[in-house]
């Protein structure tokens, strides 16, 4: 089984004057980084014209589909009609997208099958991480 899960989703951009009503995005989970979810937006969907990837906790996404979660750069909350809102806060401003809750739940189920919640620590390679930290110290 591959240690990486990728799932394409359609994100509905919430903006006063949206350039695009719906944008493709990719959810990504890698069991070698078991606490983290990545959400990537293609160049056409960003102000910079380059791909932008946000990283946030798997637990934040799992909690946010059922109740408001997060107080930092990424916040997730349910929104009526089977939608979930993900807010991205940066110094340049805030971006909000609506995603189908069913797509997020399907992604989370696949992640759960790869690395069960509460078992993430078993997939950490602490020896490798420690070697990386100490490599430049000598």
């Amino acid at each position: 089984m591959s240690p990486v899960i990728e799932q394409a989703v359609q994100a509905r951009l919430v903006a006063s004057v949206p350039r695009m009503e719906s944008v493709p995005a990719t959810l990504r989970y890698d069991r070698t980084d078991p606490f983290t979810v990545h959400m990537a937006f293609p160049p056409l969907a960003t102000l910079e014209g380059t791909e932008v990837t946000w990283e946030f906790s798997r637990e934040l996404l799992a909690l946010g589909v059922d109740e408001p979660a997060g107080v930092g750069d990424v916040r997730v909350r349910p929104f009526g009609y089977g939608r979930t809102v993900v807010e991205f806060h940066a110094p340049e401003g805030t971006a909000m997208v609506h995603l189908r809750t069913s797509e997020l739940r399907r992604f989370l189920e696949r992640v759960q099958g790869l690395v069960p919640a509460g078992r993430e620590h078993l997939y950490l390679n602490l020896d490798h991480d420690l070697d990386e930290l100490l490599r430049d110290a000598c």
Side-chain angles (χ1 to χ4, degrees), residues 49-113:
T50 59
E51 181 175 282
V52 172
T53 300
W54 284 81
E55 297 179 1
F56 49 95
S57 83
R58 164 189 176 170
E59 182 181 24
L60 173 68
L61 185 60
L63 287 172
V65 296
D66 293 316
E67 62 186 60
V71 293
D73 294 343
V74 180
R75 300 171 193 176
V76 184
R77 62 184 159 81
F79 189 75
Y81 309 109
R83 299 281 181 179
T84 298
V85 173
V86 181
E87 298 178 15
F88 302 100
H89 296 262
E92 301 81 20
T94 299
M96 291 175 43
V97 295
H98 288 187
L99 299 156
R100 286 187 187 102
T101 303
S102 61
E103 289 182 344
L104 294 177
R105 288 189 194 283
R106 185 170 56 248
F107 175 76
L108 289 166
E109 286 172 10
R110 293 174 65 204
V111 167
Q112 177 72 10

